[in-house]
Amino acid sequence: MNATPTIAAAPRSAAPTEPVARPSRGWAWAGLIAGLAGLGTMVGSGMVNAVYDPDLDGDTAKIADKLADQVPQMIAFHTFGMVAAVALIVFAAGAYRRLAATVGAHSLTPLVAFSGLFGTAVVLVLGTGLTTEFVFANGKEEMASAESSVFFAHWIGTIPWCWGLVGLSGIALFAAARQGAVPRWLGRVGLIGGGITLLFGISPLQYMAGMFAPLGLIVISLGFLFGDKAYRAGREATGHA
């Protein structure tokens, strides 16, 4: 009886190799933009200085006249403030994803970090919210009284500087570092810079937070961009973005 000939199985083709996704750092670039735009916001706000001019000695009419000559500074302040607000939201979302990927499932750290950044973005939107009205109304008594123009000058000299909630995000970053979720030096920056910012935010000198928070945000963003190598290497090894 003849044996049934065997048919050699065709060799299986190797599964196509998918390119490994590199972790996105766009959110960290957004944080850097937010920090730089935040500095621009502070500078622009400081240049709208009519209400703080000692030579005007509280004369509302003269202050309003000087404000009418500071429209370019107002527009610069407004633009930087809104760029910072938009970039902060992107950074907040990215920071939440970055921390959530490395801390425990029940940790509040990612949400706290997100909330501080998002809340500051809202403050910036509100801080720039009166600009349109007074850019066109300054120097025109029929549109805005001198007293209301003075109020506007005080508004943009205070509200957009209230970055205290970014300090809360810095403290959250320190908590994440204690869990081994981010490099220790980033946690220390978050603790020192965030602590100072948060203390100013809580105090009656809350506008002073705007002098520290953008600088700290720049350092932390650069840290995530160029100093977060262990995390990026791990994500590349597993093929996650």
Side-chain angles (χ1 to χ4, degrees):
M1 186 172 180
N2 296 329
T4 304
T6 58
I7 302 174
R12 293 184 180 179
S13 58
T17 302
E18 294 184 3
V20 175
R22 295 182 63 84
S24 170
R25 289 185 286 177
W27 64 275
W29 283 110
L32 180 59
I33 292 171
L36 293 172
L39 291 178
T41 305
M42 303 304 105
V43 172
S45 171
M47 292 176 69
V48 185
N49 57 4
V51 74
Y52 304 109
D53 188 342
D55 294 334
L56 302 183
D57 197 24
D59 188 320
T60 56
K62 291 181 179 179
I63 292 172
D65 288 340
K66 184 171 181 177
L67 284 172
D69 296 328
Q70 295 183 332
V71 169
Q73 294 93 313
M74 293 179 196
I75 294 175
F77 149 78
H78 178 89
T79 303
F80 279 120
M82 284 305 301
V83 169
V86 172
L88 268 175
I89 292 175
V90 177
F91 182 66
Y96 177 88
R97 184 184 66 179
R98 165 65 181 82
L99 296 179
T102 49
V103 297
H106 300 292
S107 176
L108 295 177
T109 301
L111 183 58
V112 172
F114 171 87
S115 299
L117 295 165
F118 181 83
T120 303
V122 173
V123 170
L124 285 171
V125 172
L126 294 175
T128 59
L130 292 174
T131 311
T132 301
E133 180 79 12
F134 285 92
V135 159
F136 296 105
N138 269 322
K140 300 177 181 178
E141 283 288 340
E142 67 277 9
M143 296 182 66
S145 65
E147 289 77 11
S148 62
S149 294
V150 170
F151 167 79
F152 166 71
H154 281 294
W155 178 271
I156 67 173
T158 305
I159 301 302
W161 291 68
C162 294
W163 285 57
L165 291 178
V166 169
L168 185 62
S169 299
I171 300 298
L173 191 64
F174 173 70
R178 286 178 59 85
Q179 301 175 55
V182 298
R184 289 183 179 180
W185 74 268
L186 270 178
R188 294 190 187 102
V189 172
L191 176 63
I192 297 171
I196 293 173
T197 299
L198 185 60
L199 286 175
F200 273 125
I202 293 172
S203 77
L205 299 174
Q206 74 274 21
Y207 66 92
M208 293 288 289
M211 298 180 66
F212 294 92
L215 292 172
L217 187 59
I218 289 171
V219 174
I220 288 171
S221 299
L222 289 172
F224 279 122
L225 279 169
F226 304 110
D228 203 17
K229 296 178 181 179
Y231 170 77
R232 291 201 302 275
R235 300 295 280 182
E236 288 177 1
T238 57
H240 289 90

